[in-house]
């Protein structure tokens, strides 16, 4: 199996987990989050001269642990790195590249202070944050449907989430998203 086929298999593994009845986030985490994290991460990889293959694999797997098992959601970055190691080892992916994927997953969360030491890690963290800003309807769904918030509480929760996400962006990502961010903020306010 070549690496393109491996990535297709990983994509299917993650999408199947997103379709599972045990996934508390619903299929929308695939269609409105992961697919876009992959897209933005690959765009950033070109701008930052990062390894596109490592970035694509890490983008696919960055939230996998919490999707697969909701009890792992709080520390999904830690469990996700372990899942990535297991999956990629089964595919015979080189250990040094597995470590790079794991580093991306471990440092992608904005709510957990973690230094991003590689361009690949920067791509994943920034793409994750970009998706929060670009996919505001999914945040609204999370606030109002999943968390059952009232109108104002949900609005401020979403505003705070996108503000935190903007702080997580590398300069290249901020430049890509700034206009959209200002529009979203204007609508929410």
């Amino acid at each position: 199996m070549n690496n393109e086929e491996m990535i297709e298999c990983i994509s299917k593994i993650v999408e199947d987990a997103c379709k599972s009845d045990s996934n508390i986030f619903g299929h929308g985490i695939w269609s409105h989050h992961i697919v876009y994290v992959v897209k933005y991460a690959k765009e950033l990889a070109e701008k930052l001269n990062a390894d596109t293959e490592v970035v694509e694999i890490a983008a696919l797997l960055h939230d996998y642990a919490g999707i697969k098992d909701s009890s792992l959601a709080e520390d999904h970055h830690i469990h996700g790195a372990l899942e990535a190691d297991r999956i990629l080892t089964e595919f015979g992916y080189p250990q040094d590249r597995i470590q790079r994927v794991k580093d991306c997953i471990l440092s992608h969360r904005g709510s957990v202070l973690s230094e991003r030491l590689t361009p690949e890690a920067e791509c994943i963290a920034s793409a994750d944050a970009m998706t929060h800003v670009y996919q505001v309807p999914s945040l609204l769904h999370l606030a109002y449907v999943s968390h059952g918030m009232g109108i104002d509480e949900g609005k401020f929760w979403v505003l705070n989430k996108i503000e935190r996400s903007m702080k997580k962006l590398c300069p290249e990502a901020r430049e890509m998203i700034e206009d959209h961010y200002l529009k979203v903020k204007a609508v929410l306010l």
Side-chain angles (χ1 to χ4, degrees):
M1 172 181 307
N2 66 35
N3 287 352
E4 278 184 36
E5 293 168 331
M6 178 192 68
I7 290 171
E8 286 177 30
C9 287
I10 292 168
S11 181
K12 181 162 178 25
I13 289 167
V14 176
E15 185 177 14
D16 286 349
C18 292
K19 290 177 181 176
S20 170
D21 290 338
S22 64
N23 169 22
I24 63 168
F25 304 104
H27 188 259
I29 195 160
W30 172 260
S31 60
H32 290 80
H33 184 67
I34 293 171
V35 168
Y36 289 98
V37 172
V38 171
K39 176 185 184 302
Y40 303 138
K42 288 169 70 175
E43 289 174 14
L44 283 169
E46 289 186 26
K47 290 180 180 291
L48 301 177
N49 295 316
D51 185 318
T52 306
E53 183 179 276
V54 166
V55 164
E56 184 171 8
I57 293 168
L60 285 166
L61 292 171
H62 80 284
D63 283 344
Y64 177 67
I67 294 164
K68 182 179 171 189
D69 181 347
S70 63
S71 72
L72 304 178
E74 182 65 31
D75 291 322
H76 72 276
H77 59 298
I78 296 167
H79 298 287
L82 297 172
E83 285 291 325
D85 191 317
R86 180 187 61 78
I87 291 167
L88 293 169
T89 298
E90 287 176 10
F91 281 114
Y93 201 57
Q95 282 300 313
D96 62 317
R97 297 181 68 70
I98 291 173
Q99 187 58 51
R100 292 171 66 194
V101 169
K102 289 169 54 178
D103 290 343
C104 293
I105 294 168
L106 284 166
S107 63
H108 86 273
R109 289 189 64 193
S111 59
V112 176
L113 294 178
S114 179
E115 194 173 355
R116 292 173 235 147
L117 300 175
T118 65
E120 293 80 15
E122 191 66 64
C123 289
I124 300 305
S126 289
D128 188 42
M130 289 171 73
T131 302
H132 297 151
V133 178
Y134 274 124
Q135 296 297 314
V136 170
S138 67
L139 291 179
L140 293 168
H141 181 272
L142 191 58
Y144 296 124
V145 177
S146 299
H147 296 311
M149 295 178 184
I151 293 172
D152 288 332
E153 180 186 17
K155 175 179 84 169
F156 288 113
W157 183 86
V158 170
L159 274 168
N160 287 331
K161 178 75 170 175
I162 65 169
E163 289 293 332
R164 287 191 316 272
S165 293
M166 289 299 290
K167 290 177 182 167
K168 190 165 99 168
L169 297 176
C170 66
E172 294 83 355
R174 181 175 278 284
E175 184 179 315
M176 290 169 64
I177 201 169
E178 186 73 29
D179 289 342
H180 187 79
Y181 160 73
L182 294 172
K183 291 173 188 172
V184 166
K185 190 172 176 181
V187 167
L188 289 172
L189 289 174

